[in-house]
Amino acid sequence: MIEIHFQHKEDAKRLYGFLQQLLEYESFANYTLHYEDSHIVQCRYTEETCYVEGQKAFFQWVKKSLCQFMLTVKLNDWLRHILATHYHYRDEEEQQQIIDIVHSVLEGKLEELTVFLPEMKIKDYLSNLINDWFEEHSRLFSFDSFTTFRLRNFFNELRKYVELSLDEYKMEQEYQMFIQTLREFIMNREPKLKQLHLLFSDVITFFNEQFEEIKRGDLTKMVDRRLLINHPVYIDSITIAPLLSIAPSRIYLYTDDPDQPIVRTIRNIFEERIISRPLASIEEYRKQYGASFDKKV
């Protein structure tokens, strides 16, 4: 039998429920659970012959399940505590948005952020610490002692991920405010062109409704100077400023990389005005409207 002790009964209750779900899913007939005095979870191996291999498998299951519990249940608790205690973020919705970023960083999904931190193999790290504990304490696992004394370095590293994710969250909030400001700018603006075609190749090229290229000098003359005065840092004077100034009713984007940042920004500003097409679709329009694209495609 293995006993897992908790200081807080809510944690004991959550672990008990978590292990019950695992047992139902994995169908271990020889494993049973007991929920003692609201602070202790007991895990038993009931095979009468007590085969050594069976006991080893049972211990491995308990250790693996504890690690899963920490990763899927307690990790978010720890992240919320760090956000509230160290960074004074207590709003649950804000916390969850930042926590989602932390998970993405930990899982390596945000490569542009992971380069700033050493790789943290969180599952392997926790598994090794749990194994070390059981080698020293055999059948008794004090959850709160473990987190207090064994996870100090882990929490220090986790804070680095929280801090990086918090910076990313703030930048995203600023970006969304910036996008909303630009949406409001074009909301009641009279379109200078009904349609505009943007070709994303080696450079970004503008074409009017007749698929005639709009030269850079002409685009510069169209730019509303208030944009550059009010948003000198954020406004891209080459692409975004002309688009906002022209405020076309429909924008056709020709690109094979719809996820690049500039395309994302244009889509976020103009929303339903955007129609995306692959670069290859330019050819049919070239045939229809002449040689305007020949030098660009």
Side-chain angles (χ1 to χ4, degrees), residues 196-213:
L196 192 67
H197 300 264
L198 283 186
L199 173 65
F200 289 82
S201 187
D202 295 332
V203 295
I204 301 174
T205 310
F206 287 64
F207 295 87
N208 63 19
E209 292 122 313
Q210 290 74 40
F211 286 89
E212 298 168 340
E213 181 181 347

Side-chain angles (χ1 to χ4, degrees), residues 258-276:
D259 295 324
Q260 60 180 299
I262 187 65
V263 175
R264 176 198 173 205
T265 296
I266 293 171
R267 293 182 66 89
N268 285 340
I269 295 170
F270 291 93
E271 300 180 299
E272 71 279 356
R273 302 189 192 193
I274 297 294
I275 294 179
S276 293

